[in-house]
Amino acid sequence: MSVHDTHPETRPENPPARRRVDVGQFGLAAFMVVVGIYTIIDAAGLDVGFADPVGPRVFPYVIGAGLVLVGVLLAVATARGSQPEPEEGEDVDLSSSADWLTVLKLVAVLLFTVATVNLLGWAISGAVLFAGAAWSLGSRTMVRDVIVGLVLAIGSWYAFYVGLGIPLTPGVLDGIL
């Protein structure tokens, strides 16, 4: 036993732990509230057709209200001292730096898709997007990735066109799709 254990008056006093304010969480909460309010205000300007029972405003209202609610709840939780748990990194080495080459490849594939979707059409640009993202993330089966990308892109093109009545640009495949 030490002297500190037997005599309470000689025990060193531990200063109370200072609670750290997580400015990032408050910033995220504020951003969510602002985007939610903007979504609700913007949805109020949509024209409502007389034959549509749901109308185009319902989903933006729900999403905007959800963003505002989650932003407020995040701000309250942060103010109460809730802190996110740091990622333990099961399969990620947290001591290593970011793989910027992979990020640049993904950005390049995304920019290529944005630049060519009107010219080539969604079916081709979507397939390139899928195959390029798989390649940049480490896939070495390019033929399979292109085939899966084509199936997904053409399937989503038909799902939008036939299922939802929203035509995506066919590009060079106009008349074929």
Side-chain angles (χ1 to χ4, degrees):
M1 289 183 122
S2 73
V3 173
H4 297 293
D5 292 338
T6 57
H7 299 293
E9 64 275 2
T10 59
R11 217 178 284 148
E13 291 190 28
N14 292 332
R18 245 176 86 202
R19 201 165 63 170
R20 186 176 64 93
V21 175
D22 194 344
V23 178
Q25 280 188 193
F26 279 122
L28 177 61
F31 178 74
M32 291 173 71
V33 169
V34 167
V35 170
I37 290 171
Y38 174 79
T39 303
I40 292 168
I41 291 171
D42 193 46
L46 293 174
D47 291 330
V48 177
F50 66 90
D52 192 1
V54 176
R57 293 182 185 168
V58 172
F59 291 110
Y61 280 158
V62 169
I63 291 169
L67 281 169
V68 169
L69 177 67
V70 170
V72 168
L73 290 174
L74 178 61
V76 169
T78 303
R80 289 184 175 176
S82 177
Q83 295 287 325
E85 292 293 322
E87 176 63 40
E88 304 237 355
E90 286 179 20
D91 57 349
V92 177
D93 183 11
L94 296 176
S95 63
S96 66
S97 63
D99 185 6
W100 291 109
L101 179 61
T102 300
V103 172
L104 289 175
K105 288 179 188 177
L106 285 169
V107 168
V109 168
L110 184 62
L111 290 176
F112 175 82
T113 303
V114 169
T116 62
V117 72
N118 285 333
L119 174 67
L120 299 177
W122 172 247
I124 295 173
S125 291
V128 170
L129 174 66
F130 181 85
W135 164 76
S136 66
L137 293 172
S139 176
R140 299 294 169 239
T141 56
M142 189 57 68
V143 173
R144 181 187 68 191
D145 296 339
V146 169
I147 291 170
V148 169
L150 278 170
V151 168
L152 289 174
I154 292 171
S156 64
W157 190 89
Y158 276 110
F160 272 86
Y161 188 74
V162 176
L164 298 174
I166 301 172
L168 297 177
T169 178
V172 296
L173 298 178
D174 192 18
I176 297 173
L177 290 176

